[in-house]
Amino acid sequence: MELKGVQPSNGSPNGNGNGATNAALTEKTDAEKPKAERTNWGNGLEFLMSCISVSVGLGNVWRFPFTAYENGGGAFLIPYIIVLFLIGKPMYYLEMIMGQFTSQGTVKIWSVVPGFVGVGYGQAFGTICIISYYSSLLALTLYYLVVSFQSELPWSYCRDEWTNCVNSRPQEYVDNLLTGVSLANESARNLSGIGLVANNETEKLQSSSELYFLNVVIKEKLDISDGVGDPDWKLTLALFVAWVVIFLVIMRGVKSSGKAAYFLALFPYVVLFVLLIRAVTLEGARDGILFFLEPQWGELLNPTVWKEAVVQCFFSLAVGSGPIIMFASYNRFDHGIYRDAMIVTTLDTLTSLLGGITIFAILGNLAHNLQIENIRDVVRSGTGLAFISYPDAISKFQAVPQLFSVLFFFMLFVLGIGSIVALQSTIVTIICDQFKGWKYWKVALTTSVCGFLMGLVYVTPGGQWILTLVDFYGGTYVVFILAIFELAGIVWVYGLQNFCDDIEFMCNRRVSLYWRVCWSFFTPVMMIIIFIYSMATIEPIKYSELYFPEAANVAGWLLFAIGAAQFPLWGLWYASRHPQGTYWKSLKASLKPSDRWGPANPETRREWVIFKNQKAAQRATQKDTSKLGFFWRKIANFCGSNK
């Protein structure tokens, strides 16, 4: 049996749940074939670990610290926690529900409001933008992993040509053979560098870890008006290896990835805690930690900080880009996702705090070593912060720093793989859902090759410029605006009551007031206000305090336009392909659930329709009763006034 014709309550476009749900059961024709059931996780713990591996990733130990660094440390922490409870948790729980309820990916779930299918395609575009530069971060991680096997960590000591350099590793442990100078001369050079700062304010001391990253690893280019340069062969090779690993993980789909999720989710915490213990014992660490944790109440009125908090929350939790929906779609229908959503979102925040305390303790030590009073002036923010501060801390390990460096960058690679595998699997799933005859591994191979080719631009001397541009326009604003439409489509168009009824049927628990208020008001309103303000006050972006060429800004806005335009264009396409008389009627019809909306299992689907009809009948009875009661009260009041 196949269920068709499911519509919102009372058939209204907004599906407010005040009427009855209409459904009809029709027999299958002989030509119809039963759908193969969707693969499920081996057990519920695999799903939880997979969600942890995608949500707890580079966003916590790479992006969160430098975002906090750019927004004043403690000034960023309070808005971030508020945003987590009013936007992050509600969005995360909502996406888990949508995936599990429908057993469909990020595009197919829009059978709930077919006119919003462009949200799914737009989010796929934003996900591709994130994947393109995320893989380059894995390349950097692999590069550092390989050079960590050297007898002396190459970023721990200054080169002769770096006259404004301070060794990252304590002087007494610098290898004389590698530096080519005696310890006495090394000390004199460092002291002369400090004297140079005092005599010439234009000079600034830099750690060897920072200079190594800028001059040796990425060969930074400070002007891209004449191009970004050619890809570095070492980073290109690292990028290729990263994509080979990604392909090997995703080629068999999520069925086997759950087994690897245990390691991907748990191993990073072992290394993070060891690094935290070392970081907090460094001289000057206290100042850095206080900078991170000390609240700056005045910044609560700064909308830019709130915008960055929302962006970081989305990036860290991976909401608005599809992986959570995709993972949840492989759950059993009755899986307890409420618990998982609370565990993952809480653990994600704690991991961000752990990473923040660790890196700001290191920044405090760097400020002490470089004799800089303001933590903000220690290093330039951006991608390099994680590849400068963390290596600097590793250099200060007195016992086998090479071993810990290998473990740390392997951990960083594991974190990145856990996240990008989910993002890449989302794209592969979308394609395979649309073209069911295509082999999964072939799609995975093709998309991996495309990902490698796109990633080449990020391993050029100007690659960090492009990363900043794509992250800002493609990975930030595209995901942001489509997340607003995602929430509006489900809660305001399909209807909050309809959605809550679906949750109650699936989870066997009523939806609390917290979720209802957040979904219907706080979450969408806050996101809309922050987005409008950030667009109205947007300024040309900068990399390392340098402005982008005008052509780059135009390319960035074009990137944003392509992603955002997916929503209206696909909506118009759907209306034109499903005519209902006039075009206006077709548009209205596209805002009602299609006959594909609902649980995938036929038996569960029948039970769901009965449940929805019962709920609608109960509300209709309550409405009639309240009207009758109001009528009798009017009569009683009228009779009483005539006595």
Side-chain angles (χ1 to χ4, degrees):
M1 304 292 286
E2 181 182 3
L3 185 65
K4 294 186 177 180
V6 179
Q7 300 291 337
S9 301
N10 204 26
S12 75
N14 62 0
N16 55 17
N18 294 326
T21 302
N22 298 317
L25 293 174
T26 61
E27 294 289 342
K28 286 184 179 179
T29 64
D30 294 336
E32 289 179 304
K33 296 180 180 180
K35 294 182 180 179
E37 285 199 15
R38 197 173 184 86
T39 303
N40 294 136
W41 297 100
N43 55 66
L45 194 56
E46 287 185 8
F47 168 69
L48 176 61
M49 291 299 170
S50 297
C51 288
I52 292 175
S53 68
V54 65
S55 295
V56 180
L58 292 183
N60 303 91
V61 298
W62 163 65
R63 203 178 194 280
F64 179 84
F66 90 68
T67 303
Y69 182 77
E70 290 178 329
N71 292 278
F76 176 77
L77 202 55
I78 297 174
Y80 178 77
I81 294 176
I82 294 175
V83 163
L84 173 74
F85 280 94
L86 295 183
I87 296 179
K89 284 179 178 287
M91 286 295 297
Y92 196 90
Y93 188 36
L94 179 141
E95 291 197 349
M96 269 194 173
I97 292 166
M98 291 298 294
Q100 181 169 307
F101 184 78
T102 61
S103 299
Q104 297 290 344
T106 185
V107 171
K108 292 291 187 179
I109 64 166
W110 287 106
S111 57
V112 62
V113 184
F116 278 58
V117 68
V119 172
Y121 286 111
Q123 289 176 335
F125 177 82
T127 301
I128 292 173
C129 290
I130 296 172
I131 290 172
S132 68
Y133 69 74
Y134 211 104
S135 60
S136 70
L137 300 177
L138 292 180
L140 289 173
T141 303
L142 279 178
Y143 181 96
Y144 272 85
L145 176 62
V146 172
V147 300
S148 296
F149 286 95
Q150 298 183 18
S151 60
E152 183 74 16
L153 296 178
W155 60 82
S156 65
Y157 60 89
C158 297
R159 310 302 194 268
D160 290 335
E161 61 270 21
W162 300 345
T163 57
N164 60 334
C165 176
V166 171
N167 287 315
S168 291
R169 193 175 181 186
Q171 293 183 53
E172 59 269 29
Y173 295 100
V174 176
D175 192 330
N176 295 336
L177 294 177
L178 289 174
T179 59
V181 294
S182 66
L183 288 177
N185 290 337
E186 184 71 12
S187 300
R189 190 178 70 169
N190 286 341
L191 290 174
S192 67
I194 296 174
L196 184 62
V197 175
N199 295 327
N200 186 354
E201 294 183 357
T202 61
E203 291 285 348
K204 175 191 173 183
L205 286 176
Q206 292 176 287
S207 66
S208 59
S209 59
E210 181 178 7
L211 290 170
Y212 179 79
F213 176 75
L214 299 177
N215 298 340
V216 179
V217 180
I218 66 172
K219 300 178 177 64
E220 183 185 46
K221 190 175 184 181
L222 295 179
D223 182 13
I224 60 169
S225 57
D226 60 342
V228 296
D230 297 325
D232 179 80
W233 73 268
K234 294 180 181 178
L235 292 179
T236 299
L237 181 60
L239 182 69
F240 176 77
V241 173
W243 273 107
V244 169
V245 174
I246 294 169
F247 168 69
L248 291 177
V249 174
I250 69 172
M251 64 178 293
R252 297 180 61 192
V254 299
K255 186 175 182 179
S256 59
S257 66
K259 303 296 185 291
Y262 294 98
F263 177 77
L264 294 175
L266 299 178
F267 171 75
Y269 285 100
V270 177
V271 184
L272 268 179
F273 274 110
V274 176
L275 185 62
L276 172 67
I277 294 171
R278 176 56 179 140
V280 298
T281 59
L282 295 173
E283 196 171 2
R286 179 177 177 274
D287 295 332
I289 296 174
L290 288 178
F291 177 81
F292 175 59
L293 297 178
E294 188 175 355
Q296 299 181 32
W297 302 106
E299 290 295 328
L300 292 177
L301 301 177
N302 185 353
T304 301
V305 175
W306 286 92
K307 188 266 289 187
E308 291 298 332
V310 174
V311 172
Q312 171 58 31
C313 194
F314 274 44
F315 189 92
S316 182
L317 291 174
V319 295
S321 51
I324 307 305
I325 295 174
M326 189 240 346
F327 275 159
S329 70
Y330 293 94
N331 275 337
R332 297 187 308 274
F333 187 80
D334 60 350
H335 179 72
I337 53 173
Y338 179 85
R339 177 205 61 188
D340 292 346
M342 296 305 99
I343 291 175
V344 176
T345 53
T346 302
L347 189 61
D348 176 83
T349 304
L350 294 177
T351 308
S352 294
L353 294 175
L354 176 67
I357 291 174
T358 302
I359 204 164
F360 275 92
I362 298 168
L363 291 177
N365 174 256
L366 281 175
H368 173 78
N369 292 340
L370 301 178
Q371 298 185 346
I372 297 175
E373 294 184 2
N374 194 336
I375 302 294
R376 294 192 184 199
D377 299 329
V378 175
V379 295
R380 288 181 296 177
S381 59
T383 308
L385 188 61
F387 293 99
I388 294 171
S389 299
Y390 283 124
D392 187 86
I394 294 171
S395 299
K396 293 176 171 57
F397 277 71
Q398 297 182 5
V400 287
Q402 295 86 351
L403 174 62
F404 189 79
S405 182
V406 169
L407 290 175
F408 172 74
F409 285 108
F410 181 66
M411 175 209 71
L412 215 59
F413 184 72
V414 169
L415 285 173
I417 286 294
S419 297
I420 199 170
V421 159
L423 294 169
Q424 187 74 357
S425 297
T426 301
I427 302 301
V428 176
T429 300
I430 291 173
I431 296 174
C432 290
D433 282 349
Q434 297 299 317
F435 305 97
K436 296 186 180 297
W438 292 11
K439 295 290 186 180
Y440 190 94
W441 73 268
K442 291 183 179 180
V443 176
L445 177 62
T446 304
T447 54
S448 296
V449 171
C450 293
F452 168 72
L453 295 176
M454 288 190 297
L456 289 175
V457 70
Y458 300 102
V459 295
T460 61
Q464 295 303 306
W465 288 80
I466 306 302
L467 189 153
T468 303
L469 188 78
V470 174
D471 178 50
F472 185 77
Y473 289 105
T476 297
Y477 280 103
V478 169
V479 172
F480 200 151
I481 189 172
L482 291 175
I484 296 174
F485 290 128
E486 174 187 353
L487 187 59
I490 295 171
V491 177
W492 290 348
V493 179
Y494 176 58
L496 177 64
Q497 189 59 60
N498 271 326
F499 185 55
C500 290
D501 287 345
D502 295 338
I503 299 172
E504 184 178 345
F505 172 75
M506 182 176 70
C507 300
N508 196 27
R509 60 183 298 164
R510 292 184 60 84
V511 180
S512 68
L513 181 63
Y514 165 73
W515 299 111
R516 291 173 181 266
V517 172
C518 285
W519 284 331
S520 62
F521 180 75
F522 282 117
T523 305
V525 170
M526 281 184 66
M527 290 171 63
I528 291 171
I529 292 174
I530 294 172
F531 179 79
I532 292 176
Y533 179 86
S534 62
M535 292 297 290
T537 59
I538 195 170
E539 296 179 354
I541 61 172
K542 295 186 290 184
Y543 169 72
S544 188
E545 300 304 320
L546 299 172
Y547 285 101
F548 279 74
E550 190 60 32
N553 283 312
V554 172
W557 280 112
L558 181 62
L559 198 66
F560 170 73
I562 293 174
Q566 301 302 309
F567 170 60
L569 291 179
W570 282 98
L572 295 174
W573 171 86
Y574 183 89
S576 64
R577 292 294 300 271
H578 300 80
Q580 301 288 329
T582 65
Y583 198 75
W584 176 246
K585 290 182 178 179
S586 300
L587 285 175
K588 290 180 66 177
S590 71
L591 300 181
K592 300 177 181 180
S594 74
D595 57 0
R596 297 177 180 271
W597 169 247
N601 181 275
E603 182 61 34
T604 306
R605 188 179 179 86
R606 281 191 287 269
E607 294 175 0
W608 168 66
V609 171
I610 295 172
F611 176 84
K612 294 280 280 189
N613 287 333
Q614 290 175 344
K615 280 288 184 179
Q618 289 174 6
R619 278 190 288 274
T621 302
Q622 292 172 356
K623 185 176 181 180
D624 292 340
T625 302
S626 62
K627 286 182 177 179
L628 186 62
F630 177 78
F631 173 74
W632 284 111
R633 283 195 300 272
K634 279 288 187 181
I635 294 178
N637 291 336
F638 175 77
C639 294
S641 63
N642 291 330
K643 287 183 179 180

